[in-house]
Amino acid sequence: MADHQESSLTLSSTPASVAEARRHVMGVLAEWGLPDGTDTADTVRLIVSELATNAVQHTFGQSPAFTVDVRLDRHERLRIGVTDDHPRWPKRLPAAVQQDNGRGMVIVRFLTAESGGRLTVEPTEAGGKTVWVVLPWRLFVP
């Protein structure tokens, strides 16, 4: 593996971009050796889907685009980040939330923790934020 691999894609904040974000990340991971159709691939697909959906639905038109970053570093960590320009950070809801929406970050947190990873939110220079999920790469390779 190279010291560092990365890929980035900026998409418009429209519902159709969620599927495009998923396709991009899964395509990149396939190039890096992650076979499709595994439980790990399904976990990543769902994480990307939820993060991209949040970037589209919860920015209230204040972020016309969002960026999906995928990075694999020499410390064997896979980092997936979704950046938007909206200043509001995701709310931390309890796992037993009883509403029709707002469960995306609960799902992302659960899947991340179950995989031995971590989730962070970092501010951007533009006043928005990046939601990062960091997973151990050992989950992805046989």
Side-chain angles (χ1 to χ4, degrees), residues 91-102:
K91 293 180 181 175
R92 185 168 185 93
L93 299 174
V97 68
Q98 298 292 322
Q99 61 188 49
D100 291 339
N101 60 21

Side-chain angles (χ1 to χ4, degrees), residues 89-113:
W89 287 28
K91 293 180 181 175
R92 185 168 185 93
L93 299 174
V97 68
Q98 298 292 322
Q99 61 188 49
D100 291 339
N101 60 21
R103 290 180 275 195
M105 289 305 293
V106 172
I107 293 168
V108 170
R109 281 186 179 91
F110 173 80
L111 291 172
T112 301

Side-chain angles (χ1 to χ4, degrees), residues 37-59:
T38 64
D39 288 344
T40 302
D42 291 342
T43 295
V44 171
R45 187 177 291 109
L46 183 53
I47 287 171
V48 171
S49 184
E50 292 298 334
L51 293 179
T53 298
N54 282 352
V56 170
Q57 289 184 342
H58 299 294
T59 59

Side-chain angles (χ1 to χ4, degrees), residues 22-32:
R22 276 194 309 265
R23 278 192 299 275
H24 173 73
V25 171
M26 299 315 294
V28 167
L29 294 181
E31 288 176 18
W32 294 350

